[in-house]
């Protein structure tokens, strides 16, 4: 009788233990899953397109993923500004790299957008055909020029340069064209000149049919094309996350401009893992010449935006109803000397071996390889 009773007790104890263990595992598994989901959802979604004006976005994502094991934000690639703008307006993106005049226009339209940091300095080139008779800006009279967008600073460059030479904007024919299509249009002589952020302008130069008419560093030093903008409500609700994003973008810029070796690393991993371009193209743009595009001095300065604003109003692109305090929030980086570059050094042996198999010479150290060789 006692033996039978003991057996029953042992059975009940075993069943209770199993039940409690099952409950504990399920409860904690649910908790862990929720935590992971919340962590993923907490990451800001940041839009970019594959141009050097947006290079700090993938560089920041890549380096922080290598350092932390997970990117600090979700980098979302778009092929052009129209789709990127719509994604931001719909709320799919909480932050994005965007044309400075377009951000101003959206603010004029009542969109809660705030510029928090710059994407770059300089980095735009005007190309003409190698055998073109266009050798000076004055020679653009009566010519057809492809620009990326009505709200692009490239359009304002043309307006500014022509005005300085007493030429009306109506004396040239401006057409809008996606930058990836511009090299082919120049090669086919469908247009007389093309202007955009890199690397698409350099493509025509590398392929031998394009000639540089000017770089913005020579005609409008410290030129701004694209900026990092954030939904104003996101700033209010997630300011620490926005601060972390801006800090990482700033650190990425300092890292890029720290050494040419860093630029060559970035050309490799960005071209392969984010831009889906030939790394040779980015290596060319980031080195010939080295100041073709810069990633330091990217904090917001009122005078820079007031110049863009004035040109936008004069050229008919902006209404002039939104001003610096409306569309800009410079509080995230008040002193750029406080920003230090990422202290990150890549493990590059596999990259070097892969490049050798492709018959390419790799200069300097290259980046982490986990996502670089995804086909």
């Amino acid at each position: 009788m006692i033996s039978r009773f003991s057996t029953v007790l042992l059975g009940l104890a075993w069943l209770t233990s199993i039940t409690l263990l099952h409950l504990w595992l399920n409860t904690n598994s649910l908790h862990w899953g929720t935590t992971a989901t919340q962590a993923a959802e907490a990451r800001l979604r940041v839009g970019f397109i594959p141009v050097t004006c947006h290079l700090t976005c993938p560089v920041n994502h890549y380096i922080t993923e290598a350092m932390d094991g997970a990117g600090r934000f979700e980098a979302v690639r778009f092929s052009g500004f129209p789709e990127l703008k719509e994604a931001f307006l719909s709320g799919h993106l909480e932050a994005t790299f965007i044309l400075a005049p377009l951000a101003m226009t959206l603010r004029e339209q009542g969109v809660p957008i705030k510029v928090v940091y710059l994407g770059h300095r300089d980095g735009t080139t005007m190309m003409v055909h190698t055998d073109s008779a266009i050798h000076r800006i004055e020679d653009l009279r009566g010519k057809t020029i492809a620009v990326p967008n009505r709200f692009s600073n490239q359009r304002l460059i043309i307006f500014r340069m022509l005005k300085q030479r007493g030429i009306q904007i109506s004396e040239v024919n401006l057409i809008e064209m996606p930058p990836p299509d511009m090299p082919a249009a120049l090669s086919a002589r469908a247009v007389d000149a093309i202007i955009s952020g890199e690397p698409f302008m350099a493509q025509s130069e590398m392929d031998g049919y394009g000639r540089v008419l000017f770089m913005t560093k020579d005609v409008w030093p410290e030129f701004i094309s694209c900026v990092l903008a954030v939904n104003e409500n996101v700033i209010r609700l997630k300011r620490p996350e926005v601060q972390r994003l801006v800090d990482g973008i700033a650190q990425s810029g300092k890292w890029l401009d720290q050494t040419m070796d860093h630029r060559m690393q970035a050309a490799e991993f960005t071209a392969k893992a984010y831009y889906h371009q030939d790394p040779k193209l980015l290596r060319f743009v980031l080195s010939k010449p080295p100041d073709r595009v810069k990633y330091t001095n990217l904090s917001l300065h009122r005078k820079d935006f007031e110049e863009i604003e004035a040109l936008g109003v004069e050229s008919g692109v902006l209404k002039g109803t939104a001003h610096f305090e409306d569309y800009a929030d410079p509080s995230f980086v008040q002193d750029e000397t406080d920003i230090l570059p990422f202290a990150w050094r890549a493990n590059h042996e596999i990259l070097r071996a892969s490049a050798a198999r492709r018959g390419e010479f790799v200069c300097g150290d290259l980046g982490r390889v986990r996502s670089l060789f995804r086909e």
Side-chain angles (χ1 to χ4, degrees):
M1 184 74 174
I2 295 174
S3 176
R4 185 176 178 185
F5 181 70
S6 298
T7 302
V8 170
L9 284 178
L10 286 171
L12 287 172
W14 179 83
L15 182 61
T16 301
S17 299
I18 292 298
T19 302
L20 289 173
L21 180 61
H22 180 74
L23 179 62
W24 183 85
L25 287 172
N26 275 279
T27 301
N28 281 276
S29 295
L30 178 61
H31 174 71
W32 293 335
T34 301
T35 302
T37 301
Q38 288 174 341
E41 290 177 350
R43 293 191 301 168
L44 298 177
R45 292 182 300 277
V46 183
F48 74 96
I49 63 175
V51 293
T52 53
C53 303
H54 299 189
L55 186 63
T56 52
C57 180
V59 168
N60 182 16
H61 185 269
Y62 191 89
I63 291 178
T64 55
E65 189 177 35
M67 293 171 66
D68 302 343
R72 296 177 186 175
F73 62 95
E74 182 182 349
V76 186
R77 181 181 184 272
F78 291 83
S79 59
F81 284 108
E83 312 94 272
L84 182 146
K85 181 191 77 170
E86 291 305 317
F88 182 80
L89 292 177
S90 71
H92 178 68
L93 297 176
E94 294 154 299
T96 188
F97 283 77
I98 193 171
L99 296 162
L102 181 54
M104 297 176 181
T105 298
L106 292 176
R107 189 68 193 198
E108 288 183 337
Q109 296 170 356
V111 176
I113 186 171
K114 284 282 190 178
V115 176
V116 296
Y117 203 58
L118 302 184
H120 65 105
R121 293 279 186 173
D122 301 319
T124 283
T125 308
M126 178 174 278
M127 305 296 300
V128 297
H129 207 280
T130 49
D131 59 3
S132 170
I134 301 172
H135 295 280
R136 304 176 307 152
I137 292 168
E138 291 83 350
D139 297 333
L140 293 170
R141 267 195 182 98
K143 305 301 183 183
T144 297
I145 308 170
V147 297
N149 188 285
R150 169 177 168 78
F151 299 102
S152 66
N153 255 11
Q154 284 76 17
R155 188 179 187 278
L156 295 185
I157 294 171
I158 297 171
F159 179 85
R160 183 178 186 266
M161 291 188 312
L162 295 180
K163 179 186 174 183
Q164 290 172 345
R165 291 159 178 79
I167 303 172
Q168 298 294 319
I169 192 72
S170 58
E171 294 183 64
V172 299
N173 178 32
L174 299 182
I175 63 170
E176 295 182 24
M177 182 179 295
D181 298 341
M182 289 185 183
L186 183 67
S187 177
R189 303 176 193 273
V191 295
D192 300 298
I194 56 177
I195 183 169
S196 173
E198 298 290 2
F200 301 109
M201 302 301 95
Q203 185 66 62
S204 66
E205 188 178 0
M206 286 182 64
D207 290 346
Y209 57 82
R211 168 168 52 85
V212 174
L213 183 64
F214 66 80
M215 295 182 183
T216 48
K217 70 184 185 67
D218 300 319
V219 298
W220 190 348
E222 300 297 290
F223 168 78
I224 300 166
S225 174
C226 290
V227 296
L228 174 62
V230 182
N231 185 296
E232 192 170 15
N233 297 319
V234 173
I235 293 176
R236 180 170 53 84
L237 297 172
K238 299 182 178 181
R239 187 174 181 89
E241 290 88 342
V242 175
Q243 183 68 66
R244 195 180 190 198
L245 171 66
V246 175
D247 288 347
I249 295 296
Q251 289 177 281
S252 299
K254 289 286 185 80
W255 182 85
L256 278 164
D257 282 0
Q258 190 173 33
T259 68
M260 181 55 66
D261 188 52
H262 288 174
R263 286 186 164 219
M264 296 300 99
Q265 292 175 39
E268 292 290 327
F269 66 70
T270 301
K272 184 70 176 180
Y274 297 89
Y275 283 11
H276 307 153
Q277 296 170 354
D278 188 337
K280 292 179 182 178
L281 178 58
L282 280 182
R283 289 202 297 267
F284 183 90
V285 170
L286 294 175
S287 63
K288 298 184 183 300
D291 61 348
R292 190 172 190 143
V293 57
K294 301 190 294 291
Y295 300 101
T296 45
N297 185 27
L298 302 185
S299 54
L300 307 184
H301 300 296
R302 179 183 291 269
K303 64 179 179 61
D304 293 331
F305 285 88
E306 287 180 344
E307 182 176 14
I308 295 170
E309 192 180 320
L311 285 169
V313 171
E314 188 177 358
S315 65
V317 172
L318 299 174
K319 298 175 182 177
T321 57
H323 306 290
F324 185 78
E325 57 273 12
D326 301 313
Y327 55 71
D329 184 349
S331 65
F332 290 93
V333 180
Q334 298 187 23
D335 185 355
E336 191 150 333
T337 60
D338 292 338
I339 303 294
L340 297 176
F342 277 122
W344 179 71
R345 185 173 179 81
N347 181 356
H348 60 277
E349 293 306 320
I350 299 177
L351 277 170
R352 217 180 267 283
S354 176
R357 285 196 300 272
R358 296 194 305 270
E360 297 177 359
F361 172 73
V362 176
C363 174
D365 292 344
L366 297 175
R368 182 182 54 82
V369 300
R370 184 172 64 178
S371 63
L372 186 58
F373 294 111
R374 279 185 300 218
E375 297 299 336

